[in-house]
Each structure stands twice: as C-alpha cells, then as structure tokens.
Amino acid sequence: GKLDIFIGAARRIAELNGVENASHIRDKITEMIKLQTLIWSAGIASAQHCKVMEPGVAVPDPVFANTGKHVAMEAHFTCARLLLEIAGGAVITLPSVEDQRSPELGKYFDKYYRAAGDSGAERVQMLRFIRDLVASEYAAWWYVEIIHGSGSPAAEWLQMYREYDLGSATELAKSLAGRT
C-alpha cells in the first residue's frame, strides 16, 4: 500500500512539474509499478501455495513469503529514490512554511513554484508531502522498519534457501541435460 502512495505522488508531481509524458519519467513510474506488483504477487502466491496445518490453519509458503518481504525492502528504497528523482531537489530546498505565509515573500511562491500546475501552493504542498514520505524523521523510521520489521534480511535469505525444493530443481536440470 505504501508504494501505491509513492506511485501516486510520483505521477502527481510529474504532472505539476510538467514532465509526466517524458519517457524517463514514465520509465521510473513503471519501475515503481513493477516493484509494487511483484510484492503483491508474492503475497498472493504465498497464500495460494500455503500448507494447511491442524486444526485448519493456513501457513503461507515460506519461499514466496520471504521473497515478497525481501523484495518489499529493496523496492521501498528504490521507489523512494525514484520518487525523489521525479520530484527534484525542491523536496529539500523549499523555503519554510513561515516564508510562504509571509506577506513579503508569500506572493513569490505562486509565481516561482507554479510550473505546470494551476497554483504554486499545490506544487509546494505535494513537494512537502513527498518530503514527509521519503526525506523526514518519519521516513527514516520506515527505512529501519522495512529492513527489520519482519525479521532480518539474512533470515529471509536463509529461509528461502532452506525451504526451496532444490532437489526437484536439481533433478529437473539433470533430466534436461540427459543425465537422469
């Protein structure tokens, strides 16, 4: 769900910046969509391939589940970077809210921050929202949580290796190579 917010923010700031049709912007947003979809797909696959244990409890497939968790961690950082690339440096260099509200300086915000939008205020608001999402104290908390919130990345890798049916994969390769 968080990546859906990143994707929506990327699309909207691209519109406000007037670059939504640039191929490199579309490519970045498409990469974000791909990653979000891979995470969702791994979750669906882990549920679809669950094992039902007594007394009827479904246990998700550990390979799909840990793959999804690991991809989610990597995707979070990648999508944050892509969102910042699309938004531009103004995410961090915006003047303060106090400056924007100032009678002396406020009048310049609409003039210099409008870009392709209807108002500078909307673009500034979206830039601040993106800053909150990916470049704030809140964002830093999420960066730690996405790495360790569901177990360490090393544990995810260990479980994927332990649980994957390496025997069947090896036998398939031997068979296809004509060495059964």
Side-chain angles (χ1 to χ4, degrees), residues 17-114:
N17 288 345
V19 295
E20 72 273 14
N21 293 319
S23 62
H24 70 287
I25 299 297
R26 286 194 318 264
D27 288 349
K28 287 174 170 72
I29 293 172
T30 302
E31 177 72 12
M32 295 167 80
I33 292 167
K34 177 193 80 176
L35 292 169
Q36 187 278 346
T37 304
L38 281 171
I39 296 162
W40 181 257
S41 300
I44 296 297
S46 69
Q48 183 67 33
H49 295 278
C50 70
K51 290 189 174 122
V52 179
M53 314 292 273
E54 290 297 326
V57 175
V59 178
D61 179 271
V63 175
F64 286 118
N66 281 288
T67 299
K69 291 189 311 184
H70 200 81
V71 171
M73 175 196 58
E74 292 172 339
H76 185 93
F77 287 98
T78 299
C79 289
R81 178 183 54 83
L82 293 171
L83 176 55
L84 286 168
E85 287 179 14
I86 293 166
V91 167
I92 293 299
T93 62
L94 275 175
S96 70
V97 173
E98 291 79 13
D99 288 341
Q100 188 176 4
R101 291 180 182 159
S102 155
E104 182 182 336
L105 300 174
K107 60 188 173 192
Y108 296 109
F109 274 75
D110 198 50
K111 178 178 180 180
Y112 292 108
Y113 284 101
R114 178 178 296 152

